[in-house]
Amino acid sequence: MTRSICIFLLAIFSNLVALPTANSSEDKTLLVVGDSLSAAYGLPPNTGWVDLLTEKLSKETSWKVKNASISGETTDGGARRIAQLLSSHQPSVVLIELGGNDGLRGFPPNVSYKNLEDIIKKSQTSGAKVILAGIHLPPNYGQKYEQMFYGNYLKLQEKYKVALIPFILENIGEKAELMQKDGIHPNLTAQPMILDNVWPYLEPLLD
């Protein structure tokens, strides 16, 4: 084997060794795309459930969390932002916590469905696993609308085989002592409880 060929092969091998593997834990990012429930609306800095999750993962794993949640965000806004977010952060897991503002504003459920579907499809196409956070509406929105609204999450879970958090505000939303004065946003005490609702469904995806 000539000296030039040896040098060429050595250079290739060195580059291959230097490249990180796609499954390396140091490359793994969890992207949270949500609304005020995940953006820590009305809370002191760094006290929301996503902040608590970030702290938990930083202590126990090499996962990084990018919180791209915006107060007031709708599924339409999420659908418009998702391509750029995926490109910028290249997440391994995408947690979608959207739909609540659609429901509170009375958006047609089929519109919300299409937006959530778009976010899921683009996330899965990028290679990311997806977890969807379900949300229920207050009783005054009517049983029919609520069934159609929540049905979006169930249909999308089934069609795209994504993980589903059944209700991110389970045992929280109906308790006044766990909500802020507006009756819509969870207070500081509720944040660890939200994380407890999320964690059993998220943890299996962080392999």
Side-chain angles (χ1 to χ4, degrees):
M1 185 179 293
T2 66
R3 181 173 181 274
S4 59
I5 292 176
C6 288
I7 293 174
F8 176 73
L9 292 175
L10 180 61
I12 293 176
F13 178 76
S14 298
N15 286 334
L16 288 173
V17 170
L19 289 173
T21 63
N23 293 322
S24 174
S25 61
E26 64 184 8
D27 294 330
K28 291 186 177 181
T29 297
L30 166 65
L31 174 66
V32 181
V33 184
D35 51 33
S36 56
L37 296 181
S38 299
Y41 174 87
L43 301 175
N46 305 315
T47 59
W49 76 266
V50 180
D51 298 296
L52 300 180
L53 173 63
T54 302
E55 182 179 0
K56 178 181 179 66
L57 291 180
S58 68
K59 291 180 178 178
E60 301 176 4
T61 73
S62 298
W63 279 79
K64 298 178 181 179
V65 179
K66 173 60 182 178
N67 191 0
S69 303
I70 301 175
S71 293
E73 185 71 295
T74 61
T75 59
D76 177 69
R80 284 186 281 107
R81 292 195 298 135
I82 191 61
Q84 185 274 326
L85 291 172
L86 292 170
S87 176
S88 297
H89 305 294
Q90 300 183 21
S92 296
V93 175
V94 177
L95 191 157
I96 306 168
E97 183 274 300
L98 290 171
N101 287 313
D102 295 40
L104 295 177
R105 299 176 189 182
F107 288 6
N110 65 310
V111 173
S112 300
Y113 178 93
K114 290 178 181 178
N115 290 331
L116 289 171
E117 182 177 45
D118 186 47
I119 298 171
I120 291 171
K121 289 170 66 176
K122 287 178 179 176
S123 298
Q124 290 185 332
T125 297
S126 76
K129 299 176 183 177
V130 174
I131 180 168
L132 193 59
I135 190 77
H136 286 289
L137 296 176
N140 59 298
Y141 280 79
Q143 184 177 9
K144 182 177 180 181
Y145 184 75
E146 155 66 13
Q147 288 178 342
M148 295 173 64
F149 172 82
Y150 189 75
N152 283 342
Y153 300 103
L154 300 177
K155 292 175 184 177
L156 289 165
Q157 176 197 26
E158 176 63 25
K159 183 174 182 179
Y160 292 98
K161 308 304 179 185
V162 300
L164 176 66
I165 304 162
F167 182 27
I168 195 169
L169 297 184
E170 185 72 39
N171 298 318
I172 298 170
E174 71 277 13
K175 297 179 180 179
E177 67 272 18
L178 296 175
M179 303 299 287
Q180 298 181 38
K181 291 182 179 180
D182 60 12
I184 297 175
H185 298 95
N187 61 24
L188 186 62
T189 303
Q191 299 308 305
M193 299 175 66
I194 298 176
L195 179 55
D196 287 342
N197 288 338
V198 170
W199 183 247
Y201 303 94
L202 175 61
E203 184 182 20
L205 303 185
L206 305 178
D207 53 14

